[in-house]
PDB file of all heavy atoms in Angstrom:
ATOM      1  N   TYR Q 481      99.163  99.902-176.972  1.00 98.00           N
ATOM      2  CA  TYR Q 481     100.267 100.841-177.116  1.00 98.00           C
ATOM      3  C   TYR Q 481      99.916 102.148-176.395  1.00 98.00           C
ATOM      4  O   TYR Q 481      98.877 102.748-176.650  1.00 98.00           O
ATOM      5  CB  TYR Q 481     100.499 101.096-178.606  1.00 98.00           C
ATOM      6  CG  TYR Q 481     101.696 101.921-178.976  1.00 98.00           C
ATOM      7  CD1 TYR Q 481     102.964 101.374-179.018  1.00 98.00           C
ATOM      8  CD2 TYR Q 481     101.551 103.265-179.310  1.00 98.00           C
ATOM      9  CE1 TYR Q 481     104.068 102.134-179.393  1.00 98.00           C
ATOM     10  CE2 TYR Q 481     102.645 104.029-179.691  1.00 98.00           C
ATOM     11  CZ  TYR Q 481     103.902 103.457-179.732  1.00 98.00           C
ATOM     12  OH  TYR Q 481     104.986 104.214-180.102  1.00 98.00           O
ATOM     13  N   GLU Q 482     100.741 102.556-175.424  1.00 98.00           N
ATOM     14  CA  GLU Q 482     100.555 103.778-174.626  1.00 98.00           C
ATOM     15  C   GLU Q 482      99.317 103.717-173.734  1.00 98.00           C
ATOM     16  O   GLU Q 482      98.807 104.748-173.300  1.00 98.00           O
ATOM     17  CB  GLU Q 482     100.512 105.025-175.509  1.00 98.00           C
ATOM     18  CG  GLU Q 482     101.811 105.286-176.262  1.00 98.00           C
ATOM     19  CD  GLU Q 482     101.822 106.594-177.023  1.00 98.00           C
ATOM     20  OE1 GLU Q 482     100.741 107.221-177.148  1.00 98.00           O
ATOM     21  OE2 GLU Q 482     102.902 107.005-177.491  1.00 98.00           O
ATOM     22  N   ALA Q 483      98.841 102.524-173.411  1.00 98.00           N
ATOM     23  CA  ALA Q 483      97.649 102.403-172.562  1.00 98.00           C
ATOM     24  C   ALA Q 483      97.979 102.316-171.084  1.00 98.00           C
ATOM     25  O   ALA Q 483      97.153 102.691-170.245  1.00 98.00           O
ATOM     26  CB  ALA Q 483      96.837 101.172-172.976  1.00 98.00           C
ATOM     27  N   PHE Q 484      99.180 101.837-170.732  1.00 98.00           N
ATOM     28  CA  PHE Q 484      99.476 101.531-169.338  1.00 98.00           C
ATOM     29  C   PHE Q 484     100.772 102.166-168.856  1.00 98.00           C
ATOM     30  O   PHE Q 484     101.739 102.292-169.610  1.00 98.00           O
ATOM     31  CB  PHE Q 484      99.615 100.007-169.147  1.00 98.00           C
ATOM     32  CG  PHE Q 484      98.428  99.215-169.597  1.00 98.00           C
ATOM     33  CD1 PHE Q 484      98.547  98.300-170.629  1.00 98.00           C
ATOM     34  CD2 PHE Q 484      97.188  99.371-168.994  1.00 98.00           C
ATOM     35  CE1 PHE Q 484      97.464  97.548-171.054  1.00 98.00           C
ATOM     36  CE2 PHE Q 484      96.097  98.634-169.406  1.00 98.00           C
ATOM     37  CZ  PHE Q 484      96.227  97.718-170.443  1.00 98.00           C
ATOM     38  N   LEU Q 485     100.781 102.532-167.575  1.00 98.00           N
ATOM     39  CA  LEU Q 485     102.016 102.868-166.888  1.00 98.00           C
ATOM     40  C   LEU Q 485     102.707 101.572-166.469  1.00 98.00           C
ATOM     41  O   LEU Q 485     102.056 100.526-166.350  1.00 98.00           O
ATOM     42  CB  LEU Q 485     101.720 103.719-165.648  1.00 98.00           C
ATOM     43  CG  LEU Q 485     101.110 105.103-165.871  1.00 98.00           C
ATOM     44  CD1 LEU Q 485     100.626 105.683-164.544  1.00 98.00           C
ATOM     45  CD2 LEU Q 485     102.111 106.032-166.529  1.00 98.00           C
ATOM     46  N   PRO Q 486     104.015 101.584-166.220  1.00 98.00           N
ATOM     47  CA  PRO Q 486     104.694 100.357-165.776  1.00 98.00           C
ATOM     48  C   PRO Q 486     104.040  99.717-164.563  1.00 98.00           C
ATOM     49  O   PRO Q 486     103.925  98.482-164.481  1.00 98.00           O
ATOM     50  CB  PRO Q 486     106.116 100.841-165.467  1.00 98.00           C
ATOM     51  CG  PRO Q 486     106.324 101.983-166.405  1.00 98.00           C
ATOM     52  CD  PRO Q 486     104.987 102.679-166.460  1.00 98.00           C
ATOM     53  N   GLN Q 487     103.590 100.528-163.600  1.00 97.00           N
ATOM     54  CA  GLN Q 487     102.959  99.974-162.394  1.00 97.00           C
ATOM     55  C   GLN Q 487     101.636  99.285-162.710  1.00 97.00           C
ATOM     56  O   GLN Q 487     101.222  98.362-161.997  1.00 97.00           O
ATOM     57  CB  GLN Q 487     102.739 101.078-161.361  1.00 97.00           C
ATOM     58  CG  GLN Q 487     104.007 101.526-160.654  1.00 97.00           C
ATOM     59  CD  GLN Q 487     104.710 102.680-161.350  1.00 97.00           C
ATOM     60  OE1 GLN Q 487     104.511 102.907-162.546  1.00 97.00           O
ATOM     61  NE2 GLN Q 487     105.529 103.430-160.615  1.00 97.00           N
ATOM     62  N   ASP Q 488     100.939  99.734-163.767  1.00 97.00           N
ATOM     63  CA  ASP Q 488      99.650  99.147-164.120  1.00 97.00           C
ATOM     64  C   ASP Q 488      99.771  97.677-164.502  1.00 97.00           C
ATOM     65  O   ASP Q 488      98.805  96.910-164.362  1.00 97.00           O
ATOM     66  CB  ASP Q 488      99.014  99.898-165.290  1.00 97.00           C
ATOM     67  CG  ASP Q 488      98.638 101.331-164.962  1.00 97.00           C
ATOM     68  OD1 ASP Q 488      98.500 101.649-163.769  1.00 97.00           O
ATOM     69  OD2 ASP Q 488      98.473 102.127-165.905  1.00 97.00           O
ATOM     70  N   ILE Q 489     100.944  97.277-165.028  1.00 98.00           N
ATOM     71  CA  ILE Q 489     101.123  95.888-165.457  1.00 98.00           C
ATOM     72  C   ILE Q 489     102.130  95.158-164.567  1.00 98.00           C
ATOM     73  O   ILE Q 489     102.652  94.109-164.936  1.00 98.00           O
ATOM     74  CB  ILE Q 489     101.546  95.811-166.933  1.00 98.00           C
ATOM     75  CG1 ILE Q 489     102.932  96.427-167.150  1.00 98.00           C
ATOM     76  CG2 ILE Q 489     100.514  96.489-167.832  1.00 98.00           C
ATOM     77  CD1 ILE Q 489     103.522  96.121-168.520  1.00 98.00           C
ATOM     78  N   ASN Q 490     102.410  95.727-163.388  1.00 97.00           N
ATOM     79  CA  ASN Q 490     103.313  95.126-162.389  1.00 97.00           C
ATOM     80  C   ASN Q 490     104.768  95.063-162.848  1.00 97.00           C
ATOM     81  O   ASN Q 490     105.559  94.287-162.304  1.00 97.00           O
ATOM     82  CB  ASN Q 490     102.855  93.714-162.003  1.00 97.00           C
ATOM     83  CG  ASN Q 490     101.474  93.676-161.410  1.00 97.00           C
ATOM     84  OD1 ASN Q 490     100.910  94.704-161.052  1.00 97.00           O
ATOM     85  ND2 ASN Q 490     100.895  92.496-161.310  1.00 97.00           N
ATOM     86  N   LEU Q 491     105.144  95.897-163.817  1.00 97.00           N
ATOM     87  CA  LEU Q 491     106.514  95.845-164.330  1.00 97.00           C
ATOM     88  C   LEU Q 491     107.525  96.179-163.242  1.00 97.00           C
ATOM     89  O   LEU Q 491     108.629  95.623-163.212  1.00 97.00           O
ATOM     90  CB  LEU Q 491     106.674  96.811-165.510  1.00 97.00           C
ATOM     91  CG  LEU Q 491     107.921  96.625-166.379  1.00 97.00           C
ATOM     92  CD1 LEU Q 491     107.879  95.284-167.108  1.00 97.00           C
ATOM     93  CD2 LEU Q 491     108.054  97.761-167.387  1.00 97.00           C
ATOM     94  N   ASP Q 492     107.141  97.055-162.317  1.00 96.00           N
ATOM     95  CA  ASP Q 492     108.049  97.426-161.229  1.00 96.00           C
ATOM     96  C   ASP Q 492     108.205  96.296-160.214  1.00 96.00           C
ATOM     97  O   ASP Q 492     109.263  96.134-159.602  1.00 96.00           O
ATOM     98  CB  ASP Q 492     107.550  98.694-160.531  1.00 96.00           C
ATOM     99  CG  ASP Q 492     106.125  98.555-159.991  1.00 96.00           C
ATOM    100  OD1 ASP Q 492     105.296  97.869-160.625  1.00 96.00           O
ATOM    101  OD2 ASP Q 492     105.838  99.131-158.925  1.00 96.00           O
ATOM    102  N   ILE Q 493     107.170  95.488-160.026  1.00 95.00           N
ATOM    103  CA  ILE Q 493     107.218  94.401-159.054  1.00 95.00           C
ATOM    104  C   ILE Q 493     108.109  93.270-159.547  1.00 95.00           C
ATOM    105  O   ILE Q 493     108.830  92.642-158.767  1.00 95.00           O
ATOM    106  CB  ILE Q 493     105.804  93.862-158.763  1.00 95.00           C
ATOM    107  CG1 ILE Q 493     104.923  94.945-158.138  1.00 95.00           C
ATOM    108  CG2 ILE Q 493     105.864  92.655-157.834  1.00 95.00           C
ATOM    109  CD1 ILE Q 493     103.506  94.501-157.867  1.00 95.00           C
ATOM    110  N   ILE Q 494     108.069  92.989-160.834  1.00 96.00           N
ATOM    111  CA  ILE Q 494     108.780  91.822-161.364  1.00 96.00           C
ATOM    112  C   ILE Q 494     110.156  92.171-161.933  1.00 96.00           C
ATOM    113  O   ILE Q 494     110.742  91.380-162.679  1.00 96.00           O
ATOM    114  CB  ILE Q 494     107.927  91.088-162.414  1.00 96.00           C
ATOM    115  CG1 ILE Q 494     107.558  92.010-163.585  1.00 96.00           C
ATOM    116  CG2 ILE Q 494     106.671  90.543-161.767  1.00 96.00           C
ATOM    117  CD1 ILE Q 494     106.791  91.291-164.700  1.00 96.00           C
ATOM    118  N   GLY Q 495     110.689  93.320-161.537  1.00 96.00           N
ATOM    119  CA  GLY Q 495     112.072  93.637-161.876  1.00 96.00           C
ATOM    120  C   GLY Q 495     112.276  94.309-163.210  1.00 96.00           C
ATOM    121  O   GLY Q 495     113.408  94.326-163.730  1.00 96.00           O
ATOM    122  N   GLY Q 496     111.238  94.892-163.787  1.00 98.00           N
ATOM    123  CA  GLY Q 496     111.375  95.546-165.084  1.00 98.00           C
ATOM    124  C   GLY Q 496     111.679  97.025-165.016  1.00 98.00           C
ATOM    125  O   GLY Q 496     111.841  97.666-166.059  1.00 98.00           O
ATOM    126  N   VAL Q 497     111.742  97.586-163.794  1.00 98.00           N
ATOM    127  CA  VAL Q 497     112.059  99.004-163.614  1.00 98.00           C
ATOM    128  C   VAL Q 497     113.168  99.141-162.598  1.00 98.00           C
ATOM    129  O   VAL Q 497     113.079  98.582-161.495  1.00 98.00           O
ATOM    130  CB  VAL Q 497     110.829  99.820-163.150  1.00 98.00           C
ATOM    131  CG1 VAL Q 497     111.166 101.298-163.068  1.00 98.00           C
ATOM    132  CG2 VAL Q 497     109.636  99.591-164.085  1.00 98.00           C
TER     133      VAL Q 497
END
Side-chain angles (χ1 to χ4, degrees):
Y481 187 80
E482 297 186 349
F484 304 117
L485 296 169
Q487 285 91 338
D488 295 340
I489 65 168
N490 300 347
L491 195 65
D492 57 325
I493 297 178
I494 59 176
V497 184

